[in-house]
Amino acid sequence: SQKIEQNSEALNIQEGKTATLTCNYTNYSPAYLQWYRQDPGRGPVFLLLIRENEKEKRKERLKVTFDTTLKQSLFHITASQPADSATYLCALDIGSSASKIIFGSGTRLSIRP
Amino acid sequence: DAGVTQSPTHLIKTRGQQVTLRCSPKSGHDTVSWYQQALGQGPQFIFQYYEEEERQRGNFPDRFSGHQFPNYSSELNVNALLLGDSALYLCASSWTETHTEAFFGQGTRLTVV
């Protein structure tokens, strides 16, 4: 069956450390992979998009890698802050002519001061 | 730019009733996708509308239907509500010509009693 798995339901780390979240997928060959942030009771907010021919993408303290051989993406937040506490969602764009974005179940990240 | 707006924000319905949720996409976007998000889960793709037609559909029963209007706004209708339909319903808009991020509304919290 087709799956998107985010390996941790919850991750708790110390402020200032690097948070690393993992997304694994099976039976998909997405051309694009995205990461979103979701705060309680709110809609997801887009963070980063990476294409299948890109190995790594950075934006400020965020870094995403995309390994199409391993079918895995890693999402890193460096110098983490309590304000980074949220649920982070991995999303695959499995559409061909148009986007069709499907989501993993998310990892709830807590940064303790 | 108001972004994606959804109405109502909260709704309580009785089992067996019908409900209509509404979404206005971000200015310039022509594609609307609807998602259902149960507590603690990632958003599940219901369907996508483009040019007033359903273009893609997820694994949801026919009780879930929708519509898109000429101004690109959209409605999600759910008939014969079940207790299990209680969830956060999210609308996302995007521009169909590019594989880019989706912009989400704040969601409608539907409770079926």
Side-chain angles (χ1 to χ4, degrees), chain B residues 52-108:
Chain B
E52 303 180 48
E53 292 194 357
E54 182 183 295
R55 179 164 63 178
Q56 303 188 81
R57 190 176 182 94
N59 189 24
F60 278 79
D62 292 344
R63 298 187 297 108
F64 290 77
S65 63
H67 189 78
Q68 186 179 36
F69 299 93
N71 67 353
Y72 306 122
S73 67
S74 177
E75 289 181 350
L76 164 66
N77 301 293
V78 187
N79 294 322
L81 284 166
L82 303 174
L83 296 180
D85 295 331
S86 297
L88 181 68
Y89 287 85
L90 295 162
C91 168
S93 74
S94 58
W95 171 237
T96 197
E97 293 300 325
T98 60
H99 285 263
T100 58
E101 71 270 27
F103 288 79
F104 283 82
Q106 82 282 5
T108 294

Side-chain angles (χ1 to χ4, degrees), chain A residues 36 38 46 93 96 99 101, chain B residues 35 37 48 56 99 101-102:
Chain A
Y36 288 76
Q38 187 173 26
F46 171 79
D93 187 341
S96 51
S99 286
I101 300 171
Chain B
Y35 292 82
Q37 187 174 27
Q48 182 183 85
Q56 303 188 81
H99 285 263
E101 71 270 27

Side-chain angles (χ1 to χ4, degrees), chain A residues 36-83:
Chain A
Y36 288 76
R37 169 183 172 140
Q38 187 173 26
D39 292 288
R42 309 293 295 272
V45 174
F46 171 79
L47 296 174
L48 280 168
L49 177 151
I50 187 165
R51 294 172 172 77
E52 61 179 342
N53 60 352
E54 296 176 316
K55 296 294 184 186
E56 182 179 298
K57 200 80 167 278
R58 291 175 186 261
K59 179 183 175 183
E60 298 173 352
R61 295 183 296 110
L62 308 180
K63 184 178 85 171
V64 172
T65 64
F66 190 13
D67 188 326
T68 56
T69 301
L70 290 178
K71 293 186 180 291
Q72 181 181 79
S73 175
L74 300 179
F75 175 79
H76 306 271
I77 305 175
T78 58
S80 60
Q81 306 166 1

